[in-house]
């Protein structure tokens, strides 16, 4: 059974607006040896795209515990919504959530993004920062 | 990398809370990304794998979203506050580093609001403010 982080990562990869960006960490199975592995994605001299680098692993998914990957995911969300200023904030429940642990399901992070269709701000919640980002990527118009 | 970005990079690495993180892009000379090897030592991709650790003339490239993600992590660590984030205030047209510890309002450190013209600058200002903590 995949871990929560892996399940979230796979949701990200399944989004139509998903693509691998330089600096992301891809996790997956080594195609030759069959063991779990990871790679930091980078395009090399235009001869290999980031996607091709990630696909060196079987069924790659982004490592959402990696700060650089989260930064790239925020960039993807901004691109997907056409809002370069979309931002993520912790809610006032953040600290309560931290103290109560993982069994708490109250959203602790909210992504604020301008909806290009309605020109109003949408607030997309998530229990973790990564989950709110992925929910935003999934909901992108 | 523009001169403004280089200046911002220099300000960042002068901070007490600065360190190179796995995934940051060096935009000064090498234009390569730091990655951790199997033992966790940083090395520059495709440059010189025998050299471990950051080069003294490296400068972070804050036009790179992965590097900005790492910078945010550094600010959270330096301020010991994992709820820190940066956002744009439309009326001011500027970015501010904020924290939920202060009910989502602008973060005050030693009486200062942590404003910047860009997201990265607001975070660097926060890292500089963390020097005094």
């Amino acid at each position: 059974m995949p871990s929560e982080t892996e399940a979230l990562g796979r949701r990200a990869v399944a989004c139509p607006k998903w693509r691998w960006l330089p600096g992301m960490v891809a996790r997956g199975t080594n195609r030759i040896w069959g063991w779990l592995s990871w790679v930091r994605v980078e395009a090399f001299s235009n001869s290999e795209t980031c996607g091709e680098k990630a696909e060196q692993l079987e069924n790659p998914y982004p490592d959402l515990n990696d700060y650089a990957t989260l930064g790239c995911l925020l960039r993807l969300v901004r691109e997907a919504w056409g809002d370069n200023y979309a931002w993520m904030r912790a809610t006032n429940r953040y600290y309560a959530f931290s103290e109560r642990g993982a069994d708490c399901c109250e959203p602790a992070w909210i992504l604020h993004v301008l909806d290009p269709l309605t020109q109003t701000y949408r607030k997309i919640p998530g229990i973790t920062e990564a989950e709110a980002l992925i929910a935003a990527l999934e909901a992108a118009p | 990398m523009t001169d403004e970005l280089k200046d911002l990079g220099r300000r960042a690495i002068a901070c007490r809370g600065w360190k190179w993180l796995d995934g940051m892009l060096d935009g000064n000379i090498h234009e390569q990304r730091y990655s951790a090897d199997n033992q966790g030592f940083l090395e520059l991709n495709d440059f010189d794998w025998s050299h471990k650790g950051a080069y003294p003339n490296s400068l972070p490239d804050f036009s790179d979203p992965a590097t900005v993600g790492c910078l945010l992590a550094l600010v959270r660590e330096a301020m010991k506050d994992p709820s820190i984030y940066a956002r744009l205030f439309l009326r001011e047209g500027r970015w501010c580093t904020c924290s939920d510890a202060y009910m989502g309002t602008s973060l005050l450190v030693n009486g200062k609001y942590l404003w910047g013209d860009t997201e990265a600058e607001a975070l660097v200002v926060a890292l500089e403010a963390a020097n005094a903590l």
Side-chain angles (χ1 to χ4, degrees), chain A residues 42 78 91-92 95 129, chain B residues 22 33 76 81 85 100 119:
Chain A
E42 196 72 58
R78 286 172 174 168
T91 70
N92 294 337
Y95 283 102
E129 201 169 7
Chain B
D22 185 8
R33 195 174 299 281
R76 287 174 175 174
D81 181 353
Y85 59 95
D100 188 51
E119 182 177 24

Side-chain angles (χ1 to χ4, degrees), chain B residues 55-86:
Chain B
Y55 288 84
N57 49 356
S58 284
L59 282 178
D61 184 347
F62 292 130
S63 66
D64 173 62
T67 307
V68 175
C70 292
L71 175 62
L72 175 60
L74 283 184
V75 172
R76 287 174 175 174
E77 184 180 306
M79 293 201 155
K80 299 178 178 62
D81 181 353
S83 75
I84 278 179
Y85 59 95

Side-chain angles (χ1 to χ4, degrees), chain A:
Chain A
M1 192 176 144
S3 67
E4 239 174 78
T5 313
E6 180 181 344
L8 270 181
R10 297 209 178 282
R11 276 175 59 189
V13 171
C15 290
K17 306 260 179 174
W18 168 260
R19 73 176 200 276
W20 291 97
L21 290 185
M24 285 178 163
V25 167
R27 290 191 176 273
T29 307
N30 183 295
R31 290 185 184 274
I32 299 169
W33 306 106
W35 55 47
L36 295 177
S37 188
W38 64 274
V39 63
R40 189 167 294 280
V41 168
E42 196 72 58
F44 285 107
S45 310
N46 298 325
S47 60
E48 185 181 44
T49 65
C50 290
E52 286 167 346
K53 181 78 178 170
E55 292 293 336
Q56 287 178 358
L57 301 172
E58 199 170 339
N59 295 323
Y61 63 93
D63 181 349
L64 300 172
N65 291 318
D66 176 68
Y67 308 124
T69 305
L70 286 179
C72 291
L73 189 54
L74 178 57
R75 169 67 65 91
L76 276 186
V77 168
R78 286 172 174 168
E79 279 181 14
W81 284 84
D83 177 7
N84 285 331
Y85 309 119
W87 50 281
M88 170 76 70
R89 67 167 289 228
T91 70
N92 294 337
R93 294 174 182 150
Y94 177 82
Y95 283 102
F97 167 70
S98 300
E99 286 162 14
R100 275 180 285 175
D103 60 333
C104 171
C105 291
E106 290 179 51
W109 293 88
I110 292 179
L111 185 115
H112 296 245
V113 64
L114 184 65
D115 189 326
L117 303 176
T118 62
Q119 288 298 306
T120 56
Y121 276 94
R122 289 212 22 205
K123 297 177 182 177
I124 301 174
I127 297 168
T128 62
E129 201 169 7
E131 187 180 309
L133 284 167
I134 288 163
L137 197 61
E138 289 172 332

